[in-house]
Amino acid sequence: MATKLNRRAVLAMAGASTVLLGAPLAAQDDTLRLAFIPQENPDKLLGDIEAITGWLSEQIGVPVEGFVTIDHAAAVEALRNGDADISFMGALPFVLAEAEIDAIPLLSEVYRGDPSYTGRVFVRRDAGIQSLADLRGRDIAFADPISESGYLYPLAEFERAGLIDRPEAADAFFGRVFFAGGYQQAMQAMAEGLVAAAGASQYADLLLTPEQQSQVTWIAESDAIPSHVVIARPGLDVGLRTRFVDAMMMLNKPEHRDKLRFLYGPDGYVRADPAAYEGVRDLARRYGLLK
């Protein structure tokens, strides 16, 4: 059963949950520390982190270290505590971090020429589920309680359909609500029949095997969501922050685009526009996550 969350609660959840997968991080001013969210298999992500941090170190001129957190909330807490300088995360965790710790948006991901995407509700093709109403009394897995495409936006589709009248009513509509810890985990639970549906990014089915992809479909799609964002803690040295952004923008060049696969596989990056996240802030207020 899912619990009612507020802004401070979802951030406080991370207090004891930050996991450093790799060498301990050194708290030194000349090292740039990056926090990554486990949207996919953490073991694969560790290899990706090693590859991209090595390249970034060369471009920026300081050691760059990376680690994987349990979830979005843990990444926000790492920024708050100074355990991370920069984090890759969704739009909703960003607006929460913005409100709590004055986090600064640096870059937005671009997919298929657009710095936005959607959330979807996925089901197995053989489950006999044709509409959101068919999920009444069934189990669903969402990616993360503070994920926009992996929770709030897909859940909002049930409100739009008139099946629930507020987020707290989800417990009464579904059998059980699970937070799987990432897109891939939620999608695997659905694909393997452990739950009837998964709420995740429109691209989350690409995290399944080709055979699994042929076995799943989606039955609802959300409004457009600003793409995932790269954010910095407010106290990070401005010069170091600028060098990081400049290095990341180099990934848009043909000779460096192959390295994007180490950063969740976007098509590129643009400099973040804080105004683009106003719709996410509005949804967070409606769900009681922001004042």
Side-chain angles (χ1 to χ4, degrees), residues 125 208-217:
R125 292 182 184 275
L208 299 174
T209 67
E211 180 181 4
Q212 288 174 322
Q213 289 176 36
S214 69
Q215 295 170 348
V216 306
T217 187

Side-chain angles (χ1 to χ4, degrees), residues 14-241:
S17 67
T18 301
V19 172
L20 309 186
L21 302 181
L25 299 180
Q28 48 188 359
D29 293 338
D30 61 349
T31 298
L32 188 66
R33 297 171 292 272
L34 311 182
F36 291 82
I37 308 300
Q39 296 174 11
E40 53 186 285
N41 187 319
D43 291 333
K44 175 184 179 300
L45 187 54
L46 281 173
D48 291 346
I49 289 171
E50 184 175 356
I52 196 62
T53 53
W55 182 81
L56 285 171
S57 295
E58 295 174 359
Q59 305 305 314
I60 299 172
V62 301
V64 179
E65 298 176 343
F67 63 97
V68 183
T69 67
I70 288 290
D71 53 24
H72 287 89
V76 174
E77 196 67 14
L79 292 170
R80 182 204 301 274
N81 295 336
D83 294 327
D85 301 306
I86 288 171
S87 181
F88 298 73
M89 63 176 54
L92 176 62
F94 156 59
V95 301
L96 298 182
E98 179 186 52
E100 287 287 330
I101 64 171
D102 295 323
I104 301 166
L106 304 178
L107 299 157
S108 294
E109 295 176 347
V110 174
Y111 288 94
R112 300 178 184 178
D114 194 346
S116 67
Y117 69 124
T118 64
R120 290 176 176 173
V121 177
F122 293 90
V123 298
R124 286 183 57 93
R125 292 182 184 275
D126 62 4
I129 298 171
Q130 303 297 322
S131 69
L132 296 179
D134 294 336
L135 290 172
R136 186 181 299 276
R138 309 286 293 273
D139 295 346
I140 188 168
F142 292 106
D144 188 300
I146 55 169
S147 169
E148 62 290 339
S149 63
Y151 180 46
L152 292 195
Y153 275 74
L155 186 61
E157 291 307 299
F158 290 87
E159 289 190 74
R160 191 201 302 266
L163 299 171
I164 62 175
D165 59 2
R166 63 192 188 285
E168 303 92 302
D171 286 346
F173 177 79
F174 296 108
R176 287 176 296 177
V177 175
F178 297 97
F179 293 109
Y183 292 148
Q184 188 170 42
Q185 298 92 318
M187 293 295 289
Q188 283 290 349
M190 176 274 302
E192 295 173 10
L194 301 178
V195 295
S201 159
Q202 73 177 93
Y203 302 115
D205 57 334
L206 299 179
L207 299 173
L208 299 174
T209 67
E211 180 181 4
Q212 288 174 322
Q213 289 176 36
S214 69
Q215 295 170 348
V216 306
T217 187
W218 54 274
I219 57 173
E221 185 172 39
S222 76
D223 293 335
I225 310 167
S227 289
H228 285 194
V229 61
V230 185
I231 72 174
R233 62 178 178 83
L236 180 62
D237 177 77
V238 174
L240 184 54
R241 192 174 77 199

Side-chain angles (χ1 to χ4, degrees), residues 2-22:
T3 57
K4 182 178 179 181
L5 302 171
N6 57 39
R7 176 184 58 182
R8 188 164 296 279
V10 293
L11 296 179
M13 286 164 53
S17 67
T18 301
V19 172
L20 309 186
L21 302 181

